[in-house]
Amino acid sequence: MVLRNAPEGEAPRGATLLTAVRLAAAEWDECEKEPSVRPGGQPNMQQMLKQAQKMQQQIAQAQAELAEAELTGTAGGGLVTATVSGSGELKAIRIDPKAVDPEDVETLEDLVVAAVHNATEAARELTEQKMGPVTGGMGGLGLPGF
């Protein structure tokens, strides 16, 4: 076995015997792992399939957690509250009677839109938080696009 950046049989400059042993052990561990690319530059399809299956399981788990999540958004200092699922589905709207003014319906409409927007933004952020680590930032996986 040859240590990196050292003549055969020698430890790298300035390395102690313990460091050399650790480096050799680390290289041995790497050799025993199934390589992601086989000699000749061919990808190891079995390892790639395992990684894809693991990622698929993680995505399914994250999607299940998102489906169970409920997020709220508010507007007007809490006069209007919207609740959405983690997938962005509007579940409920709560309107404080103080927000209802028959002379000013437009303000109430604006508050409802703002609360729904606030809630869906929270759902989008939760989706990024749950799915980002799993997908590594990849888009186009059929996830809700808020």
Side-chain angles (χ1 to χ4, degrees):
M1 176 173 311
V2 178
L3 296 174
R4 293 185 189 123
N5 300 325
E8 188 170 339
E10 292 181 25
R13 272 190 211 156
T16 64
L17 180 58
L18 181 58
T19 303
V21 169
R22 286 181 180 158
L23 287 172
E27 286 185 20
W28 181 256
D29 287 344
E30 287 299 316
C31 291
E32 287 192 326
K33 291 180 183 174
E34 196 169 350
S36 60
V37 178
R38 292 188 173 168
Q42 295 297 317
N44 184 332
M45 296 305 284
Q46 185 176 15
Q47 184 180 19
M48 289 175 64
L49 182 59
K50 286 179 186 177
Q51 289 173 339
Q53 288 171 338
K54 181 179 177 183
M55 185 175 170
Q56 186 177 19
Q57 290 170 346
Q58 291 171 332
I59 288 172
Q61 180 181 354
Q63 286 175 328
E65 290 173 12
L66 285 170
E68 292 177 17
E70 286 195 349
L71 302 116
T72 59
T74 61
L79 292 175
V80 177
T81 302
T83 303
V84 297
S85 69
S87 61
E89 179 186 348
L90 182 61
K91 295 288 194 173
I93 295 281
R94 303 247 187 274
I95 301 173
D96 188 310
K98 296 177 200 169
V100 180
D101 179 0
E103 302 293 321
D104 188 11
V105 175
E106 288 179 11
T107 298
L108 179 57
E109 292 170 343
D110 290 344
L111 290 174
V112 169
V113 169
V116 171
H117 176 74
N118 189 323
T120 55
E121 180 66 18
R124 185 192 61 75
E125 289 173 4
L126 181 63
T127 299
E128 286 179 8
Q129 178 186 356
K130 294 279 186 192
M131 301 302 284
V134 176
T135 63
M138 296 185 305
L141 294 175
L143 304 174
F146 299 100

